[in-house]
Amino acid sequence: MNKHTKILAIIAAIAITHNIYAQKDKIGGQNYISTAMPIIMVSPDATSAGMGDVGVASKPDANSLHWNNAKLAFVEDGAGFTMTYTPWLRKLGVGDMNILYLGGYYSINDRSTVGGSIMYYSVGEVEFRDEDGLDKGTYKPNEFSIDLSYSMKLSETFSLGASGRYLRSDLTQGQDVGTAPTKAGNAIAADIGVYYQDKLSASTSMPGELALGLFISNLGSKISYSDVNTDKDFLPANLRLGGRYTLNIDEFNQFSLLLDLNKLLVPTPPVYDKDSNGTNVIIAGMNDRAEDISVMQGVFQSFYDAPNGLTEELQEIQLSVGAEYWYSQIFAVRAGYFFEHKNKGGRQYITFGGGIRYNMFTFDVSYLIALSRTQNPLANTVRISLGMNFGKASATKKSSN
């Protein structure tokens, strides 16, 4: 990778990590919501990535820790493990930026399951220089998160899940930005999940399954990147709601249709304009400064603080639609679509994927094609997941699935 490409890559990485509130010329225009560590919102697995990033009510597996921890209580195997490698910014020619995700679970009994995961984002090697161009060393900026989760069935069709998470963002490696020294940002967060899964009537010629899920993630402390600057950035607290309908066509063929709705639970930036003195003033939206808003206040405020009212609040909802076909539970084909309003980022893309299951092993791939002008760091990228399942859950647990 050439020097200029690497500089652009690190600038982009730092920019998306900090909470930079975009301004707009008038009410109703572009008004992005930015947070610290948006990388933890990226689909970590090729299965969901192949279906437009749906997952809150998809089939329970080792990736459920990211999409809805409550699903873990319904896994059919006694234990499982997954690993996914995701190249980053390959379309720009960047060769050493990537995301690595590791996840696993263990069924304690027929109602309780524990799990854990690690997500690691590497920016590769970066050469730092001061304002005079003097070499300050070569570093490897990175971000990572570590999760622990517990899921429990409350009935044969309903479960709850809870997770704790530690996050660390170290993109500047303690180097000065301008005249201000920086440090790694640290935070803790929690997730809460709800999941419902039930068989449809077996008396019909083509029985199936209905699943519904709700997942609130990344509720936690803010992140600070400097001891000099007291501003702190919100984590991407998020609400995900969705469902799945699975149709068992016959003993060999199975088809699923999935839908997810997604919304950030952080404050929407107000609209600014300049007064007669050339000073920025708020003309619409909430007047509270982001650093003065608590995490829980931000969660509730996120439903009513958009400067353009309900119209803009609805624009903040992202839509994911996916489909999956299995033949004999051995071969899978997937497709999906993701939509984000142009005023809130404008990402739109379609995805494709497939999977193979053989004995205890699974292999999944996905591919993303961007449909909008918005640069997507995963455009034209192949993601690969490998999984292993060990043993079977108890007969009671398996029969309920």
Side-chain angles (χ1 to χ4, degrees), residues 14-25 29-36 222-223 231-237 264-273 280 282 284-295 297-299 301-302 305 307 312 316 343-344:
I14 295 176
I16 65 173
T17 303
H18 286 78
N19 190 12
I20 303 173
Y21 283 160
Q23 298 181 10
K24 57 186 179 178
D25 295 329
Q30 294 180 343
N31 192 21
Y32 307 149
I33 300 176
S34 300
T35 68
K222 296 181 183 180
I223 283 185
D231 291 349
K232 294 185 177 181
D233 302 329
F234 283 95
L235 293 175
L264 285 173
L265 301 179
V266 296
T268 303
V271 178
Y272 293 87
D273 201 357
N280 283 332
I282 295 175
M286 304 294 288
N287 293 322
D288 293 332
R289 298 187 307 165
E291 56 267 29
D292 296 330
I293 301 174
S294 68
V295 172
Q297 180 185 346
V299 169
Q301 181 176 313
S302 67
D305 64 353
E312 186 173 346
E316 294 177 359
N343 291 338
K344 297 298 176 178

Side-chain angles (χ1 to χ4, degrees), residues 150-198:
Y150 174 76
S151 179
M152 180 178 65
K153 281 186 181 179
L154 300 184
S155 70
E156 295 307 310
T157 60
F158 184 75
S159 63
L160 294 176
S163 300
R165 175 173 300 112
Y166 168 71
L167 308 100
R168 182 176 175 85
S169 175
D170 190 8
L171 293 180
T172 60
Q173 303 281 287
Q175 299 298 310
D176 292 352
V177 176
T179 59
T182 65
K183 66 175 183 178
N186 296 276
I188 56 174
D191 303 341
I192 301 174
V194 178
Y195 182 65
Y196 169 86
Q197 174 181 297
D198 196 13

